[in-house]
Amino acid sequence: MAYGQLGHSSSLLRAVPIIAFVLLPTCAAHDHDADGIPEGAAVSPEPIDSILWTHILLQGLAFGLIFPAGMVLGIIRSRWHVPVQTLGTIITIVAWFLGHRHKGRKFAPNIHASFASSLMLMLAVQVAIGVYLKLHLTKGVHSKIRRYVVHVHGTIGKLMPVVSWVQMLFGGITALGFCRDDHLGQCVAHFIMGSAFIGYGIIMTILLLVGQVWLRRSGKSQEFFDSTLIAAWGTVNTFTEHRWGTAWVKNDIQHTSMGIVWWCAGLVGIWLSRSRGGRPKRNLIPGIVLLLTGWGMSAHPQSLKLSTMVHTAFGYTLMAAGATRMIEIAFVLRDSRGLVGEPNSFQHLPPFLLCASGFLFMGATEEQMKLLSDAHVTHVSYILILYSFAFLLYLFVNVLLHIYAVHAWPDSNSNGRRESRMLSRSISRSASAAGGLRRSGISRRQFSTTDVTDGMNGGLSNGKIRMPRHRQTDSQQIRDAETFELEGLISDVEDDEDTTSPKGIDTDVERA
């Protein structure tokens, strides 16, 4: 049954590139009729017709739901990866064709239409690579290039959700005729910064649910990466929020000062992310930056009352994200690198609030506020709708991470953290033993990491640690990470021997 499904999907998949390349010249040759668009406007006054609504819904389904789900299925090497991605590709081709055959509202030349060609070319390349890999060609030159092709296929697949998000934003902007002329600068700032907050929340969720093993392998705390990004972003904002050499207008000073505090605080966060001994250390600087930024944006002067209320809600939400992040680190985790087992329910607050703040900020551009104000939409209704979007996005992200986690750690609910913590303790004991062996004249080569990891399924007898069963690839990842840490611990022992007494060495190793 499964082989029949895969065979049918494989045949269908081979037909997709042919259909795509047949439709490509037709769609690319078609251009929207700009007649009927008032002078100085970006869209005509006609409403969006049913064909264009179908295009919007189908493309949102394909790029917003199906392709991200297929990406996760590909990462876990599920047999459903090919059928799901094939379905998404077919829907995309049909929706793209509809997007060039609609009536009703007309559009001036725009970024959404221009970027669509690049996105479809990216999709065509991804489909072609998928077909090549599905053929399982492993002889001759194929055996040499296959691993590189697999790497390219995986990279494009992981980039697709990000590129799709950008194109969907372009679509919404184009449909309403926003972000042109004098509105371009503030519009770009809102969508970039809002997307950055949402991306930050998603990355924080990934690290919370499935990224603890990787974070331990990196040898750095999460605040190191957060602070580095904050410092880089602040540096860019310092020199881009104002056109230097011209007069300071509107909120230039406030925007620039936010950039300055970001890179200043980011440098402090980088410094505090390591202990005196060089070990990863948690700190509260990223949370403080979010708190200050939210406070500043809550008092951001606006021309419309609706805009003021939405910016205030955004500022309060961002302040709440920063405050809950600090509470999580200081009181929930108590400066540890993560809890064993499922995360605490409180830990879901910071990433969700970041996603919500991103939607609020993206929905607070000048043109959006004027449109809603003219339609007599209250700030309460609008903010609740934006929060609803945040809830749905956070749900979808958690579902995708759940699909990944149940395949990566099928017999454990610790997402790899319990195994890593248990092995770390074993490594510390083994490092102490390594110091004793070194003092006894036994060479370092005789002490192998296999002494630590052998017999992990043998229970607690003979000094071995029982680990929940999981697949060999995950065991190897954890083993590689702990091997690296063990090498560092042994090196520390050897360095201490040259500078301290044997008694001092014992004390240092026990602390490690």
Side-chain angles (χ1 to χ4, degrees), residues 125-126 129 146-158:
V125 171
Q126 183 74 337
I129 295 176
R146 183 176 178 83
R147 62 174 180 174
Y148 299 105
V149 175
V150 170
H151 180 72
V152 172
H153 188 63
T155 301
I156 296 177
K158 294 177 180 66

Side-chain angles (χ1 to χ4, degrees), residues 98-161:
L98 293 175
H100 290 266
R101 290 292 182 268
H102 69 87
K103 304 297 181 182
R105 183 171 298 181
K106 301 179 179 63
F107 305 92
N110 55 80
I111 186 64
H112 180 69
S114 302
F115 194 67
S117 300
S118 301
L119 180 61
M120 293 302 290
L121 177 62
M122 183 178 177
L123 179 61
V125 171
Q126 183 74 337
V127 171
I129 295 176
V131 172
Y132 169 80
L133 294 175
K134 194 64 181 176
L135 296 175
H136 299 291
L137 302 175
T138 57
K139 296 182 179 180
V141 68
H142 300 290
S143 63
K144 298 180 180 179
I145 67 173
R146 183 176 178 83
R147 62 174 180 174
Y148 299 105
V149 175
V150 170
H151 180 72
V152 172
H153 188 63
T155 301
I156 296 177
K158 294 177 180 66
L159 286 176
M160 187 65 74

Side-chain angles (χ1 to χ4, degrees), residues 237-280:
N237 279 8
T238 299
F239 297 101
T240 57
E241 290 295 336
H242 169 70
R243 293 184 179 180
W244 296 95
T246 63
W248 292 81
V249 295
K250 292 186 178 180
N251 297 318
D252 281 4
I253 296 179
Q254 184 171 338
H255 292 160
T256 303
S257 62
M258 284 186 181
I260 293 174
V261 75
W262 273 48
W263 65 258
C264 291
L267 294 178
V268 177
I270 293 173
W271 178 263
L272 295 179
S273 64
R274 298 190 73 83
S275 67
R276 185 183 301 176
R279 294 182 178 279

Side-chain angles (χ1 to χ4, degrees), residues 10 80 108 127 162 236 238 245 269 304 341 354 378 401 413 438 456 459 487 503-504 509 512:
S10 179
W80 291 104
V127 171
V162 179
V236 173
T238 299
L304 295 174
L354 281 170
T378 65
L401 293 177
N413 65 352
R438 185 68 176 173
M456 286 189 296
E487 293 293 331
K503 182 178 180 180
V509 174

Side-chain angles (χ1 to χ4, degrees), residues 215-216 218-228 266-286 325 329-330 333-338:
L215 201 57
R216 290 179 182 275
S218 70
K220 296 178 174 61
S221 68
Q222 184 174 339
E223 283 67 42
F224 171 84
F225 299 103
D226 294 351
S227 299
T228 301
L267 294 178
V268 177
I270 293 173
W271 178 263
L272 295 179
S273 64
R274 298 190 73 83
S275 67
R276 185 183 301 176
R279 294 182 178 279
K281 185 179 179 182
R282 309 301 298 266
N283 67 77
L284 305 180
I285 296 299
R325 183 61 172 167
I329 294 173
L333 299 179
R334 299 183 181 275
D335 283 0
S336 68
R337 300 181 66 183

Side-chain angles (χ1 to χ4, degrees), residues 31 40-41 88 93 107 110 140 174 188 194 226 271 306 334 373 404 416 418-419 424 431 451 490:
D31 194 12
I93 293 173
F107 305 92
N110 55 80
T174 300
V188 170
D226 294 351
W271 178 263
L306 176 62
R334 299 183 181 275
S373 181
Y404 173 81
R418 185 186 301 276
E419 293 89 332
S424 296
D451 296 332
I490 295 176

Side-chain angles (χ1 to χ4, degrees), residues 218-436:
S218 70
K220 296 178 174 61
S221 68
Q222 184 174 339
E223 283 67 42
F224 171 84
F225 299 103
D226 294 351
S227 299
T228 301
L229 184 61
I230 287 172
W233 195 279
T235 302
V236 173
N237 279 8
T238 299
F239 297 101
T240 57
E241 290 295 336
H242 169 70
R243 293 184 179 180
W244 296 95
T246 63
W248 292 81
V249 295
K250 292 186 178 180
N251 297 318
D252 281 4
I253 296 179
Q254 184 171 338
H255 292 160
T256 303
S257 62
M258 284 186 181
I260 293 174
V261 75
W262 273 48
W263 65 258
C264 291
L267 294 178
V268 177
I270 293 173
W271 178 263
L272 295 179
S273 64
R274 298 190 73 83
S275 67
R276 185 183 301 176
R279 294 182 178 279
K281 185 179 179 182
R282 309 301 298 266
N283 67 77
L284 305 180
I285 296 299
I288 294 175
V289 171
L290 293 177
L291 188 65
L292 289 174
T293 305
W295 169 75
M297 294 306 299
S298 67
H300 208 39
Q302 303 295 322
S303 57
L304 295 174
K305 180 181 178 180
L306 176 62
S307 181
T308 300
M309 299 304 295
V310 174
H311 275 81
T312 300
F314 160 68
Y316 288 166
T317 303
L318 195 59
M319 290 173 66
T324 53
R325 183 61 172 167
M326 290 189 288
I327 294 172
E328 176 195 358
I329 294 173
F331 299 104
V332 178
L333 299 179
R334 299 183 181 275
D335 283 0
S336 68
R337 300 181 66 183
L339 296 174
V340 176
E342 291 291 331
N344 187 289
S345 58
F346 188 87
Q347 292 182 272
H348 285 282
L349 274 178
F352 167 73
L353 291 172
L354 281 170
C355 292
S357 64
F359 276 106
L360 288 169
F361 197 57
M362 285 195 301
T365 64
E366 295 172 348
E367 293 165 300
Q368 288 173 307
M369 294 295 93
K370 186 177 186 308
L371 178 66
L372 294 171
S373 181
D374 293 342
H376 304 289
V377 176
T378 65
H379 67 279
V380 174
S381 303
Y382 186 54
I383 291 171
L384 291 177
I385 291 297
L386 294 177
Y387 259 90
S388 300
F389 291 154
F391 276 117
L392 290 176
L393 176 65
Y394 196 66
L395 170 65
F396 185 56
V397 171
N398 274 268
V399 169
L400 295 183
L401 293 177
H402 174 77
I403 294 173
Y404 173 81
V406 297
H407 284 79
W409 299 284
D411 298 323
S412 173
N413 65 352
S414 64
N415 298 338
R417 284 177 286 192
R418 185 186 301 276
E419 293 89 332
S420 182
R421 178 76 59 85
M422 294 171 70
L423 272 173
S424 296
R425 294 172 180 171
S426 179
I427 290 295
S428 299
R429 299 190 193 101
S430 301
S432 179

